[in-house]
């Protein structure tokens, strides 16, 4: 199996975040409704990650570590773009990535929003490869501008996944570059629209278009709201079919082994 395929297999395993064992139906195409609030959301399941499958069953992904990353984020409190709390999280993410040996790049910018101009920052861990193509794994790390919304699921869960993947992948060298990207400003400041949302990803797309890096992306996989218990993911219908087919074949081959037992 090539490095990109191994990477995708680990990602498929990782998407059923810490403390969750997958019990999907035969087709695996049924999606559950994701929670919309933060740490106070509960399905009555254990919240400490003790039933996370061991790393040897997931290609090295440590569910307990990922769960602890979610708890760390929640500890900062609500983290909307431009807040003091998200500033703390930005520093934490960068320190974590550096401790894993990642090459970390940041892009600090300001964005005009319905509540005024806000400082934002995209964070990228770049893993070298032999070819110039880029596989991008991404999440956002900001939370909704909503009182007491601490975002354990949105976006704590996917940020925990990407931090754990960075720990696994930064020491490696593969066929293609891997960029693990943490976007700021995904959430709307008032009401979701093309203009009020996805500030960080639009910033990065524009910069990559100007630098000539945009055509180098071979695959882009976005994780968001992946902490639902039990995790079930509906087959994507709006993305590149060949990539969706690859992920789903890996899912069939690996996911049940990752979370059986």
């Amino acid at each position: 199996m090539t490095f990109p395929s191994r990477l995708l297999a680990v990602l498929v395993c990782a998407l059923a975040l810490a403390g969750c064992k997958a019990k999907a139906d035969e087709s695996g195409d049924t999606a559950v409704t994701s929670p919309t609030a933060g740490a106070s959301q509960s399905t009555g399941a254990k919240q400490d990650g003790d039933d996370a499958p061991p790393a040897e069953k997931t290609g090295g992904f440590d569910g307990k570590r990922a769960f602890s990353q979610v708890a760390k984020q929640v500890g900062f409190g609500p983290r909307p773009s431009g807040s003091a709390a998200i500033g703390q999280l930005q520093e934490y993410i960068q320190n974590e990535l550096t401790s894993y040996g990642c090459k970390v790049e940041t892009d600090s910018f300001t964005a005009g929003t319905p509540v005024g101009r806000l400082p934002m920052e995209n964070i990228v861990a770049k893993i070298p490869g032999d070819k110039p193509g880029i596989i991008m794994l991404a999440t956002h790390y900001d939370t909704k501008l909503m009182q007491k919304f601490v975002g354990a699921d949105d976006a704590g869960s996917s940020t925990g996944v990407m931090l754990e993947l960075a720990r696994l992948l930064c020491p490696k060298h593969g066929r293609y570059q891997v960029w693990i990207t943490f976007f700021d400003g995904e959430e709307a400041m008032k009401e979701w629209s093309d203009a009020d949302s996805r500030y960080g990803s639009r910033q990065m797309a524009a910069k990559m278009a100007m630098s000539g890096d945009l055509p180098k992306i071979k695959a882009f996989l976005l994780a968001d709201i992946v902490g639902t218990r039990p995790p079930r993911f509906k087959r994507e219908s709006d993305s590149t079919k060949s990539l969706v087919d690859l992920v789903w074949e890996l899912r069939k081959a690996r996911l049940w082994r990752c979370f059986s037992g």
Side-chain angles (χ1 to χ4, degrees), residues 202-230:
R202 288 189 282 126
Q203 163 79 5
M204 187 168 189
K207 288 197 68 173
M208 292 185 72
M210 292 179 63
S211 68
D213 284 329
L214 200 58
K216 297 177 184 178
I217 296 181
K218 300 295 183 181
F220 175 88
L221 292 95
L222 175 69
D224 191 15
I225 312 181
V226 297
T228 305
R229 181 189 185 97

Side-chain angles (χ1 to χ4, degrees), residues 6-48:
R6 289 198 304 272
L7 185 156
L8 293 176
V10 171
L11 178 62
V12 166
C13 292
L15 286 179
L17 181 65
C20 301
K21 287 189 178 180
K23 300 295 181 183
D25 59 14
E26 184 175 340
S27 68
D29 290 348
T30 300
V32 297
T33 302
S34 296
T36 56
S40 62
Q41 299 161 345
S42 174
T43 59
K46 289 194 298 182
Q47 298 298 305
D48 57 6

Side-chain angles (χ1 to χ4, degrees), residues 56-210:
E56 57 267 22
K57 287 191 175 183
T58 65
F61 185 90
D62 188 331
K64 290 183 179 181
R65 287 184 64 102
F67 192 95
S68 70
Q69 295 287 12
V70 178
K72 182 69 175 182
Q73 294 170 76
V74 169
F76 291 125
R79 304 171 300 285
S81 296
S83 66
I86 202 171
Q88 292 178 292
L89 179 56
Q90 289 162 352
E91 182 178 3
Y92 176 77
I93 289 173
Q94 292 178 55
N95 287 340
E96 283 292 285
L97 294 174
T98 300
S99 74
Y100 305 151
C102 303
K103 177 185 176 182
V104 182
E105 295 185 7
T106 61
D107 178 22
S108 298
F109 61 100
T110 61
T113 79
V115 297
R117 294 203 68 84
L118 295 176
M120 299 185 185
E121 184 173 76
N122 290 332
I123 304 169
V124 186
K126 294 187 175 181
I127 303 162
D130 294 326
K131 294 189 173 184
I134 299 166
I135 296 175
M136 185 176 291
L137 309 179
T139 179
H140 74 95
Y141 65 92
D142 60 303
T143 58
K144 293 180 180 179
L145 184 59
M146 184 183 298
Q147 190 174 13
K148 298 182 180 180
F149 189 99
V150 296
D153 194 13
D154 183 14
S157 61
S158 55
T159 300
V161 165
M162 291 304 164
L163 284 170
E164 177 61 7
L165 286 175
R167 186 185 69 83
L168 290 175
L169 297 177
C170 280
K172 302 184 183 299
H173 183 102
R175 182 181 179 187
Y176 292 110
Q177 301 175 67
V178 178
W179 290 11
I180 302 179
T181 304
F182 301 81
F183 291 123
D184 197 350
E186 190 264 357
E187 301 289 4
M189 294 297 107
K190 284 195 173 181
E191 185 174 350
W192 184 275
S193 67
D194 287 343
D196 185 17
S197 68
R198 298 166 296 169
Y199 297 96
S201 56
R202 288 189 282 126
Q203 163 79 5
M204 187 168 189
K207 288 197 68 173
M208 292 185 72
M210 292 179 63

